């Protein structure tokens, strides 16, 4: 050191040449990093949350952008200058210890560049708010209009709102009694059973044993065989009591609620939670329940197409309501080894038989015959998995055979995230009963599959406003199927135009398959996902406004209406309907309705189509603003203040019971330009709840009718019109 002990004497003679070179090197590198940071900050302006819109505004473009550019260039010049001083002094003989800094060659070192940099930086920090306050805010609409246009366009593109087709729904048409028959399939599929009361009933009546659990129930549609009379023209004449018209079988789409009966090992009594039970015996769930959404059994309980375990014909088969249902729904192998509750790893094909299903006072047992396991034949593999699973009992058990297999990662949510952690997954996988594989000699094939939606997303899409979402770009790019018996996972790309999934497909070409490769039996059950729809629906509340001035004034903001469910108020959730849209055939569509921010009248409805030929097509129907069209809150107010209904509800809400008001459904009839409102009412005890469907309330054209069934309510309403 040149300083020696002079610092203690209050002197600082300077740095040595190596020290100075080291400081120049550090300073040059630091300024290089600052230059890069300032250069990249230019692009971050595209995601700026400040200003009247998300993304770069007037001040960002005219002040922040040039400021960051100048600072980046100046920092780069300073970096190069400092690094050149290092290079020019490199390799020279070090100066004598007595030489001072002043004796160095006067290769210009001046604080001026640093002072200029700091001056520009401080000027920008003070200048940007000043420009915003003095120049922009007094003329904000004029100044910001181009950037409002950009924010609207890019947000709509990022959330795929620009693909929505808009139309007007007049809601002034009239339904007639004749329309009841014309729209019979629509009325037969109006959802009267919500998932919550159905699950409560399932858990009381269909769980059968403590270790079974219905985690969720999902809406889907199936083609169900039914027997109908042929028309007189088809039969060649009219039927009579002695010569009835012949019956024909035809497949009719029915909207159903399907719930998987999974095995929940956490519900096994503590005394029975042994290693053998956990990993060798309690291995799988069994079957499912399927209920039509509009039918009620005796006592107001759900009617089941599929229920129980074991029939009069054969043990282990799921009970069906008729032979037509048995011929419509695949039931050959309803075992669930891979699901949402299968959190344990298991060993199969051991000396211990697996619990298959309860059979009276006894149990039926089974051995896994699928292809989902990893063989544990050698001691080396047993040792490897014992270490991996931290389960050393695998080494000492005497129950393994040469054919024993281990099944791991059986929870489908964990399984998918291990395979493709770069995708975002929907919160609601759903079960599908389908037959897609030919029989394999010596192997069982599944009749149950899970379908899950996956998304590609980003938070770096220019000018796209994320709102409260963690992303500002999203696509439903992938449909995933998981074999509930074998665990096979297939990723099908349904959005070929998404650049993110295109990139991942190039990285993992064997992982992703084209959507056309999905088996038709599963393709018939794809549906537009509610998570994706929810994000689009929320963004549409603001970004349906495409005029910059209207957007700036926020004069046409929408909101999601509230409804009363039970005794609590909650936002109206998207719901599925099975109905005709622009052709006579029934389509599975997802619906959400909106009201203006300041009022409760209905203003619009968003519809997403799910059938394969129309999958992903979205329609936005706006209603007239000059005429009052009741929204969900107004309809519920009318229902609750109706004297007859109010009296009945008060009577039921006594003596240990309570009424649950179900989801209010707004049902449009596009051809007739008319709206119908339907709300189910459930009755449940305060203890040991077993909800029953007590009444159905229908509102149409200022008429309110509460009846025991939907058909009764509809007939009462339309009889008054005649």
């Amino acid at each position: 050191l040149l300083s020696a002990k002079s610092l203690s004497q209050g002197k600082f003679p300077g740095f040595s040449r190596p020290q100075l070179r080291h400081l120049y090197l550090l300073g040059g590198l630091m300024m290089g990093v600052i230059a890069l940071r300032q250069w990249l900050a230019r692009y971050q302006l595209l995601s700026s949350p400040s200003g009247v819109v998300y993304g770069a505004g007037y001040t960002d473009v005219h002040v922040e952008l040039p400021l960051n550019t100048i600072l980046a260039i100046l920092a780069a010049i300073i970096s190069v200058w400092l690094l050149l001083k290092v290079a020019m002094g490199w390799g020279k003989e070090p100066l004598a210890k007595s030489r001072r800094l002043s004796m160095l060659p006067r290769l210009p070192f001046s604080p001026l560049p640093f002072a200029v940099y700091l001056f520009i930086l401080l000027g920008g920090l003070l200048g940007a708010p000043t420009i915003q306050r003095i120049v922009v805010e007094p003329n904000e609409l004029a100044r910001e209009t181009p950037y409002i246009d950009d924010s609207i366009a890019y947000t709509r593109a990022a959330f795929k709102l620009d693909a929505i087709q808009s139309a007007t729904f007049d809601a002034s048409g009239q339904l007639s009694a004749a329309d009841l028959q014309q729209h019979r399939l629509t009325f037969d599929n109006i959802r009267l059973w919500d998932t919550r009361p159905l699950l409560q009933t399932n858990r009381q009546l269909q769980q059968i044993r403590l270790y079974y659990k219905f985690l969720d129930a999902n809406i889907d549609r199936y083609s169900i065989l039914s027997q109908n009379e042929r028309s007189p023209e088809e039969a060649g004449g009219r039927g009579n009591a002695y010569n009835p018209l012949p019956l024909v079988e035809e497949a009719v789409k029915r909207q159903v609620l399907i719930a998987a009966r999974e095995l929940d090992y956490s519900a096994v009594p503590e005394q029975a939670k042994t290693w053998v039970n956990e990993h060798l015996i309690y291995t799988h769930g069994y079957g499912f329940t399927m209920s039509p959404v509009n039918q009620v059994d005796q006592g107001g309980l759900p009617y089941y197409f599929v229920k129980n375990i074991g029939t009069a014909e054969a043990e282990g088969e799921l009970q069906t309501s008729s032979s037509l249902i048995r011929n419509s729904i695949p039931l050959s192998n309803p075992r669930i080894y891979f699901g949402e509750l299968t959190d344990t790893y298991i060993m199969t094909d051991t000396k211990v038989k697996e619990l298959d299903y309860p059979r009276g006072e006894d149990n039926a047992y089974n051995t896994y015959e699928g292809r989902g396991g990893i063989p544990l034949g050698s001691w080396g593999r047993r040792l490897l998995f014992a270490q991996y699973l931290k389960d050393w009992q695998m080494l000492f058990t005497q129950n393994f055979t040469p054919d024993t297999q281990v099944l791991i990662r059986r929870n489908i949510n964990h399984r998918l995230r291990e395979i493709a952690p770069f995708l975002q997954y929907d919160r609601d996988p759903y079960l599908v009963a389908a037959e897609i594989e030919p029989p394999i000699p010596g192997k069982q094939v599944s009749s149950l599959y899970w379908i899950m939606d996956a998304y590609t997303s980003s938070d770096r899409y220019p000018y796209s406003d994320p709102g409260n979402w963690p992303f500002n770009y999203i696509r439903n790019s992938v449909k995933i199927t998981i074999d509930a018996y074998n665990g096979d996972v297939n990723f099908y790309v349904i959005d070929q135009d998404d650049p993110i999934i295109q990139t991942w497909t190039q990285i993992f070409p064997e992982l992703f398959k084209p959507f056309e490769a999905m088996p038709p039996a599963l393709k018939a059950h794809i549906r537009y996902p509610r998570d994706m729809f929810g994000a689009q629906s929320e963004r549409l509340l603001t970004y349906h406004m495409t005029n910059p001035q209207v957007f700036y004034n926020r004069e046409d903001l929408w909101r999601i209406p509230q409804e009363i469910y039970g005794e609590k108020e909650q936002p109206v959730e998207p719901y599925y309907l099975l109905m005709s849209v622009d052709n006579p055939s029934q389509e599975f569509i997802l619906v959400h309705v909106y009201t203006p921010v300041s009022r409760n009248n209905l203003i619009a409805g968003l519809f997403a189509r799910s059938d394969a030929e129309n999958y992903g097509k979205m329609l936005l129907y706006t209603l007239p603003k000059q005429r009052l069209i009741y929204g969900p809150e107004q309809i519920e107010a009318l229902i609750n203040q109706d004297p007859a209904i109010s009296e009945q509800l008060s009577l039921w809400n006594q003596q240990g019971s309570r009424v649950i008001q179900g989801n209010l459904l707004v049902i449009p009839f596009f051809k007739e330009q008319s709206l119908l409102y339907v709300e189910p009412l459930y009755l449940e005890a305060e203890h040991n709840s077993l909800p029953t469907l007590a009444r159905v309330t229908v509102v149409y054209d200022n008429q309110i009718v509460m009846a025991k069934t939907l058909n009764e309510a509809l007939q009462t309403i339309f009889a008054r019109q005649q």
Side-chain angles (χ1 to χ4, degrees):
L1 287 174
L2 293 176
S3 60
K5 297 181 180 180
S6 60
L7 287 177
S8 62
Q9 303 170 6
K11 299 178 181 179
F12 180 64
F15 294 104
S16 66
R17 181 178 290 275
Q19 291 172 332
L20 194 59
R21 186 181 299 122
H22 183 69
L23 291 175
Y24 283 160
L25 178 62
L26 292 179
L29 293 176
M30 182 185 71
M31 293 306 295
V33 171
I34 291 175
L36 179 62
R37 181 182 178 280
Q38 294 291 159
W39 188 261
L40 295 178
R42 301 162 67 251
Y43 300 99
Q44 291 179 340
L45 295 174
L46 295 172
S47 302
S48 171
S50 61
V52 70
V53 294
Y54 189 87
Y58 182 91
T59 302
D60 295 317
V61 171
H62 291 85
V63 178
E64 296 286 354
L65 180 60
L67 177 67
N68 286 331
T69 303
I70 293 171
L71 289 175
I73 294 172
L74 184 56
I77 292 172
I78 294 173
S79 175
V80 172
W81 170 59
L82 292 174
L83 294 175
L84 281 176
K85 287 181 71 65
V86 174
M88 291 180 66
W90 197 264
K92 292 186 178 181
E93 291 293 330
L95 297 177
K97 290 184 179 181
S98 59
R99 291 207 176 177
R100 306 293 178 90
L101 181 62
S102 58
M103 300 297 294
L104 285 172
R106 292 286 182 178
L107 209 78
F109 177 83
S110 170
L112 182 61
F114 297 95
V116 172
Y117 182 89
L118 292 175
F119 177 78
I120 296 175
L121 179 62
L122 292 174
L125 293 176
L126 297 174
T130 303
I131 295 296
Q132 179 70 23
R133 182 67 61 86
I134 297 175
V135 177
V136 178
E137 290 185 3
N139 309 283
E140 193 168 52
L141 179 58
R143 299 287 187 185
E144 299 285 9
T145 292
Y147 311 107
I148 295 174
D149 270 331
D150 288 340
S151 182
I152 293 172
Y154 284 93
T155 301
R156 288 175 60 85
F159 286 87
K160 218 169 183 179
L161 305 183
D162 56 349
I164 297 175
Q165 300 176 9
S166 297
T168 300
F169 190 90
D170 186 69
S172 61
Q174 290 290 320
L175 287 171
S176 64
D179 293 325
L180 291 180
Q181 188 59 37
Q182 184 179 352
H183 294 286
R184 176 49 52 192
L185 290 178
T186 297
F187 288 112
D188 284 347
N189 287 286
I190 291 177
R191 180 167 60 84
L192 302 181
W193 282 105
D194 300 338
T195 57
R196 280 162 282 194
L198 179 81
L199 282 173
Q200 284 181 272
T201 304
N202 269 10
R203 289 161 185 164
Q204 293 278 352
L205 303 179
Q206 289 295 313
Q207 283 193 178
I208 301 175
R209 292 291 190 272
L210 288 173
Y211 46 78
Y212 286 135
K213 184 175 181 179
F214 291 96
L215 180 65
D216 195 11
N218 296 106
I219 298 283
D220 202 352
R221 70 285 197 199
Y222 283 79
S223 292
I224 305 294
L225 291 173
S226 63
Q227 288 186 334
N228 298 311
E229 287 187 351
R230 295 180 63 186
S231 66
E233 292 77 13
E234 293 175 325
R238 295 187 176 277
N240 51 53
Y242 302 100
N243 184 27
L245 293 175
L247 297 177
V248 294
E249 287 187 6
E250 60 179 349
V252 178
K253 275 188 181 180
R254 297 295 300 273
Q255 189 174 194
V256 300
L257 280 161
I258 183 170
R261 185 186 290 108
E262 294 196 64
L263 190 144
D264 180 14
Y265 185 76
S266 65
V268 173
E270 287 297 326
Q271 298 85 346
K273 287 186 176 179
T274 64
W275 186 87
V276 171
N277 276 341
E278 180 177 3
H279 301 296
L280 306 185
I281 295 180
Y282 289 100
T283 59
H284 60 277
Y286 202 96
F288 58 94
T289 65
M290 181 182 288
S291 305
V293 296
N294 68 312
Q295 284 185 248
V296 183
D297 209 347
Q298 293 180 354
L301 295 173
Y303 180 82
Y304 289 101
F305 281 160
V306 180
K307 63 179 180 178
N308 297 336
I309 301 174
T311 66
E313 294 81 16
E315 292 182 352
E317 289 191 7
L318 302 180
Q319 185 177 341
T320 57
S321 59
S322 69
S323 59
L324 292 176
I325 298 297
R326 182 170 297 279
N327 294 332
S328 304
I329 309 297
L331 303 171
S332 58
N333 181 14
R335 298 173 178 89
I336 302 174
Y337 280 85
F338 297 83
E340 295 185 85
L341 293 174
T342 47
D343 295 320
T344 61
Y345 57 90
I346 61 171
M347 276 68 76
T348 62
D349 207 353
T350 66
K351 295 178 182 178
V352 179
K353 293 292 186 180
E354 305 167 33
L355 171 66
D356 201 23
Y357 56 87
R359 182 174 55 192
E361 299 298 324
D362 197 3
N363 293 320
Y365 294 90
N366 182 64
T367 298
Y368 180 72
E369 297 179 356
R371 56 178 181 272
I374 304 171
L376 286 176
S378 66
W379 271 96
R381 286 201 177 188
R382 290 175 67 172
L383 179 62
L384 180 65
F385 275 97
Q387 194 281 330
Y388 177 73
L389 298 171
K390 300 297 184 290
D391 184 354
W392 300 106
Q393 294 197 49
M394 293 178 65
L395 296 177
F396 305 111
T397 181
Q398 301 297 314
N399 293 312
F400 285 1
T401 70
D403 298 323
T404 296
Q405 305 176 79
V406 59
L407 278 68
I408 60 174
R409 298 194 185 98
R410 298 192 302 133
N411 186 302
I412 58 174
N413 291 293
H414 302 160
R415 191 175 185 85
L416 294 179
R417 285 163 176 81
E418 288 287 339
I419 296 173
F422 47 83
L423 296 175
Q424 285 72 50
Y425 295 95
D426 194 86
R427 294 173 296 173
D428 191 22
Y430 58 99
L431 191 70
V432 169
E435 288 182 348
I436 65 172
E437 296 177 296
I440 300 174
K443 292 289 182 182
Q444 288 194 26
V445 296
S446 180
S447 62
L448 296 179
Y449 298 83
W450 297 94
I451 295 181
M452 184 182 282
D453 289 274
Y455 310 105
T456 49
S457 64
S458 172
D459 60 355
R460 291 291 184 269
Y461 199 91
Y463 279 103
S464 176
D465 183 0
N468 295 323
W469 301 99
F471 48 80
N472 66 354
Y473 170 90
I474 186 170
R475 289 292 184 270
N476 175 212
S477 303
V478 181
K479 296 285 184 182
I480 305 169
T481 63
I482 308 103
D483 189 323
Y485 187 72
N486 294 299
D488 297 335
V489 179
N490 290 288
F491 293 77
Y492 299 99
V493 177
I494 195 169
D495 189 348
Q496 299 281 359
D497 297 328
D498 173 39
I500 299 179
I501 201 61
Q502 289 174 3
T503 303
W504 286 120
T505 302
Q506 293 176 7
I507 297 172
F508 302 108
E510 296 183 1
L511 177 63
F512 296 100
K513 301 177 181 179
F515 180 66
E516 292 73 21
M518 179 181 281
L522 293 179
K523 194 180 293 186
H525 293 279
I526 65 169
R527 64 184 193 184
Y528 202 82
R530 287 175 40 152
D531 282 359
M532 174 80 172
F533 188 77
Q536 293 175 302
S537 180
E538 187 276 331
R539 291 288 75 201
L540 192 67
L541 299 178
T542 302
Y543 285 91
H544 68 276
M545 298 179 286
T546 56
N547 183 289
Q549 184 167 352
V550 173
F551 183 93
Y552 177 80
N553 295 331
R554 296 295 201 269
E555 60 187 69
D556 191 24
L557 278 176
W558 295 346
R559 68 180 179 92
I560 296 170
Q562 301 287 307
E563 68 171 350
I564 297 173
Y565 191 91
E567 298 175 351
K568 296 181 180 179
E569 195 172 60
Q570 66 179 25
V572 172
E573 298 176 350
Y575 52 90
Y576 290 98
L577 290 176
L578 192 59
M579 60 184 305
S580 60
V581 180
D582 53 10
N583 55 65
S585 62
Q586 302 293 301
E587 291 189 47
F588 198 54
I589 59 175
L590 186 55
V591 183
H592 214 185
V593 295
Y594 309 111
T595 60
V597 162
S598 56
R599 299 187 305 280
N600 294 330
N601 59 289
L602 200 64
I603 192 65
L606 181 64
F607 303 84
R609 304 166 84 166
S610 295
D611 292 340
E613 61 273 14
N614 292 314
Y615 181 85
K617 293 180 180 179
M618 302 183 75
L619 309 170
L620 176 66
Y621 284 93
T622 55
L623 286 80
K625 298 179 182 179
Q626 67 275 10
R627 195 172 74 251
L628 174 64
I629 300 169
Y630 291 129
E633 290 145 317
Q634 294 168 322
I635 291 295
E636 287 200 325
L638 291 173
I639 292 173
N640 291 331
Q641 69 190 26
D642 182 272
I645 296 176
S646 178
E647 180 182 357
Q648 184 65 63
L649 296 183
S650 299
L651 180 63
W652 278 333
N653 277 319
Q654 296 175 7
Q655 300 178 351
S657 64
R658 62 171 182 161
V659 175
I660 299 176
Q661 293 182 249
N663 294 134
L664 177 67
L665 304 182
V666 182
I667 302 167
F669 293 88
F670 298 103
K671 181 181 178 182
E672 292 79 10
Q673 294 285 293
S674 187
L675 291 173
L676 185 77
Y677 305 85
V678 177
E679 182 178 71
L681 297 176
Y682 310 101
L683 191 62
E684 69 170 358
E686 292 184 358
H687 305 287
N688 300 319
S689 172
L690 188 63
T692 58
L693 183 63
R695 294 291 187 272
V696 179
T697 305
V698 176
V699 181
Y700 177 73
D701 195 24
N702 295 322
Q703 300 179 78
I704 304 174
V705 172
M706 185 174 73
K708 290 184 178 180
T709 66
L710 177 62
N711 283 337
E712 278 186 45
L714 292 173
Q715 289 170 6
T716 301
I717 283 179
F718 290 102
R720 293 174 181 174
Q721 294 182 343
Q722 296 178 353

